[in-house]
Amino acid sequence: MTELIDRWVATALTAGAADGPALTAAGAGLLARWREPHRHYHTTHHLRAVLDLVDRHADLADRPERVALAAWTHDAVYDPRAAADANERASAQLAGTLLTGLGVPAATVAGVRRLVLLTAGHRVTPGDRDGALLCDADLAVLATPPEVYDGYAAAIRAEYAHVPEADFRTGRARVLDGLLALPALFRLPPLAARWEAPARANLRRELAALR
């Protein structure tokens, strides 16, 4: 995980964090969260996938360093038993406390917190290129080949192993219906052109299997 720590340090320094042991320790602490045993999808694999997409398409954002920091922290708190947007709110709070403690400027901290909160519903206002990149990267798994998507869906089910099957099917269907109701799953034109159709096909396929 040294490579991920190095990426964290580089991004945080670009955003104005103070260099020193605390910065590396903060990255290690975040990775420990992403490696919690109850996670099956929201793991370091998901973190790396989102970071890779953010880095690859940084030119589509206005403040890519904020987007990268939000990627690092957007699921830093993840409890499948939490209600509604509690995980996103707790992750935003953690991001604010952590980044402030590292000396990141207040405006950047506020921007990162705002981005993390967007991942609760993935609703982005027009012109918000930073929010669009984070949310598009977070939802990119929806557009993967069917066998990869099915692995993602199985990992989500594993995270909710405590939920009875009938209840899970009802709740998961509600989530999928909410995603399909979005005017667009992906906002940035280069990504939407490639991902929108396969993502909707995957969602409809899973939804049909749940009903």
Side-chain angles (χ1 to χ4, degrees):
M1 293 296 175
T2 302
E3 176 262 340
L4 275 176
I5 293 289
D6 290 344
R7 290 175 73 173
W8 157 259
V9 169
T11 300
L13 287 174
T14 300
D19 198 2
L23 185 55
T24 300
L30 284 172
L31 283 182
R33 289 177 172 275
W34 285 92
R35 292 198 296 261
E36 291 166 336
H38 65 272
R39 297 173 183 247
H40 297 272
Y41 172 68
H42 296 88
T43 64
T44 55
H45 178 78
H46 173 59
L47 170 63
R48 188 186 297 273
V50 174
L51 288 172
D52 286 349
L53 285 166
V54 169
D55 286 350
R56 192 176 309 142
H57 301 289
D59 61 309
L60 300 178
D62 293 319
R63 299 177 181 86
E65 72 285 353
R66 294 187 184 183
V67 183
L69 288 176
W72 268 97
T73 54
H74 78 288
D75 283 321
V77 177
Y78 183 72
D79 177 4
R81 298 174 185 268
D85 63 348
N87 285 322
E88 290 82 5
R89 288 187 285 106
S91 292
Q93 179 64 43
L94 175 67
T97 301
L98 184 69
L99 296 174
T100 298
L102 293 172
V104 174
T108 298
V109 173
V112 172
R113 283 175 51 89
R114 181 189 72 81
L115 291 170
V116 170
L117 290 171
L118 284 180
T119 63
H122 298 94
R123 296 184 181 277
V124 181
T125 58
D128 181 5
R129 303 206 314 161
D130 294 342
L133 179 55
L134 178 64
C135 289
D136 284 6
D138 191 33
L139 294 181
V141 66
L142 303 183
T144 52
E147 63 275 12
V148 177
Y149 180 92
D150 290 347
Y152 146 75
I156 293 295
R157 181 64 183 106
E159 290 183 339
Y160 287 87
H162 60 283
V163 179
E165 182 65 17
D167 293 341
F168 176 80
R169 285 174 173 266
T170 298
R172 180 66 177 167
R174 189 180 305 117
V175 170
L176 300 181
D177 280 331
L179 288 169
L180 286 167
L182 291 172
L185 290 166
F186 305 103
R187 295 88 178 161
L188 296 172
L191 306 183
R194 300 201 308 268
W195 295 349
E196 188 75 21
R200 289 189 177 273
N202 277 329
L203 291 170
R204 292 190 186 102
R205 185 170 56 83
E206 184 187 358
L207 190 56
L210 290 170
R211 290 175 166 165

